[in-house]
Amino acid sequence: MLDAQLAELGQPPYSGLDAPAALRRGCLDAVLAAYDSGAEPHRVIAKAAVRFLLDLLVAVAPGKSVEVRVPPYAAVQCVEGLRHTRGTPPNVVEMDAPTWIGLATGRMKWAEALHDGLIRASGSRADLSERLPLDLP
């Protein structure tokens, strides 16, 4: 699917490592290229890009006190603090894939996305602005 997305964008096939993190990074690059060209990324490519960025967030903000949701693609728990195990977590951040990708890559600012209603955040620990954008490998 990645090569198909790249071909649609007029780019050469993926030539990176055949490892999950490397492939997901390649998917992120393809999604950003799609957004830049005004195209809609393939669903499976967007999912891999979202997962790649959520994994990076967990790596820099490990913990279980905040749940970050990017439906329908993925959800993770992160940020140190009390662990939540049952029912709806008290600290939830939810947004769509384009918003998450924009925030995580620095193409969008937290305050602007929040103001524009692109982020639904509840709880005292649900502000991720100091953890974004992520440092991309």
Side-chain angles (χ1 to χ4, degrees):
M1 272 318 277
L2 178 54
D3 285 343
Q5 178 79 74
L6 292 171
E8 287 178 18
L9 297 168
Q11 296 188 2
Y14 175 76
S15 61
L17 297 174
D18 191 22
L23 285 166
R24 287 178 177 158
R25 174 56 204 247
C27 289
L28 173 61
D29 294 338
V31 166
L32 294 175
Y35 289 159
D36 289 346
S37 71
E40 186 69 26
H42 292 200
R43 183 177 171 96
V44 69
I45 303 301
K47 180 179 181 177
V50 165
R51 187 75 230 185
F52 173 74
L53 293 169
L54 287 172
D55 288 348
L56 285 179
L57 176 64
V58 169
V60 299
K64 302 283 186 187
S65 70
V66 177
E67 185 165 293
V68 179
R69 301 173 181 167
V70 184
Y73 300 121
V76 296
Q77 291 185 351
C78 58
V79 182
E80 287 185 25
L82 294 176
R83 180 179 182 185
H84 177 78
T85 58
R86 301 185 80 160
T88 302
N91 299 290
V92 176
V93 179
E94 187 171 324
M95 66 202 82
D96 64 13
T99 302
W100 169 241
I101 292 169
L103 290 168
T105 60
R107 292 176 167 217
M108 188 180 292
K109 301 282 187 221
W110 179 269
E112 292 169 10
L114 194 61
H115 178 267
D116 292 343
L118 299 173
I119 301 169
R120 290 163 303 287
S122 62
S124 61
R125 304 179 64 85
D127 183 348
L128 300 177
S129 61
E130 293 194 18
R131 293 172 173 83
L132 301 172
L134 299 168
D135 289 328
L136 301 176

